[in-house]
Amino acid sequence: MNLSATPRTLVVVAHPDPGSSRITVGLADAVRDLDHVTVHDLSAAYPDGRIDVEREQALLRAHDRIVWQFPWHWYSVPAVLKTWIDQVLAYGFAYGTGGTALHGKTLRLVTSTGAPEDAYAPEGRNRFTMAQLMAPLDATAHLTGMRLAEPLVLFGARLVSDVELKAHAEQYRTLLAA
């Protein structure tokens, strides 16, 4: 772990086509210039889908806080992040015998949804709360020895104005600057 005052943060951006998303680009750009933050776009790094596991594990080791930034996609993470999780958070590295590389780190989920917040309730269109839907990611953090920080969710992203996006991006920046 980094013993300096500001923990190093790795922002793993996972969007199948980040260039087409003003939300993904806007949020990543809001934190990109922070000295202690590394923004890592999986689609740009691996356009062929072949993940360099050793490189990714080295990035994880070099940072104290991990952020997964992604659009909420069919009640889960996008395929590019799921593939990354499957390959990078391997037995012996992230869990299991000798798998302590992530112990003590913090994981934060930063996501956006197409639906408004009231859709994520037992009586809402999606039937479950975001906390319920994020339970597998909470379990992943637990298994790998990371503490799951409070997620940052931008609901109804399709209808978010530029002013609302800027305010949300500032909130994101404040979280990572702390």
Side-chain angles (χ1 to χ4, degrees):
M1 278 269 236
N2 181 2
L3 298 177
S4 68
T6 307
R8 292 197 28 89
T9 302
L10 175 65
V11 176
V12 178
V13 177
H15 191 290
D17 184 15
S20 71
S21 172
R22 76 181 177 100
I23 303 299
T24 297
V25 170
L27 293 178
D29 285 350
V31 300
R32 190 178 309 277
D33 68 334
L34 293 172
D35 288 337
H36 63 284
V37 172
T38 303
V39 175
H40 181 50
D41 180 345
L42 294 180
S43 292
Y46 304 111
D48 62 359
R50 293 188 179 137
I51 294 172
D52 182 342
V53 172
E54 288 182 22
R55 175 184 180 216
E56 297 302 310
Q57 290 177 347
L59 278 169
L60 288 169
R61 282 187 186 98
H63 292 82
D64 310 299
R65 301 185 301 187
I66 313 303
V67 174
W68 292 345
Q69 181 192 318
F70 59 95
W72 195 245
H73 200 255
W74 281 107
Y75 307 104
S76 187
V77 299
V80 66
L81 183 54
K82 178 62 169 104
T83 299
W84 183 92
I85 290 168
D86 289 347
Q87 293 180 17
V88 175
L89 303 186
Y91 183 90
F93 171 76
Y95 70 99
T97 304
T100 60
L102 303 177
H103 284 200
K105 296 180 187 281
T106 299
L107 174 65
R108 182 179 302 275
L109 308 174
V110 175
T111 191
S112 57
T113 70
E117 187 170 7
D118 62 5
Y120 294 93
E123 63 284 350
R125 179 174 73 200
N126 293 309
R127 206 172 139 215
F128 297 97
T129 66
M130 282 304 292
Q132 289 170 316
L133 292 169
M134 288 183 175
L137 300 174
D138 188 348
T140 299
H142 178 75
L143 178 67
T144 61
M146 292 189 286
R147 182 184 72 78
L148 185 63
E150 184 70 27
L152 179 62
V153 181
L154 177 62
F155 291 98
R158 282 184 234 132
L159 301 175
V160 168
S161 71
D162 289 343
V163 170
E164 292 167 318
L165 175 56
K166 183 178 180 187
H168 191 77
E170 287 174 10
Q171 182 183 5
Y172 184 25
R173 184 177 175 87
T174 298
L175 283 172
L176 296 194

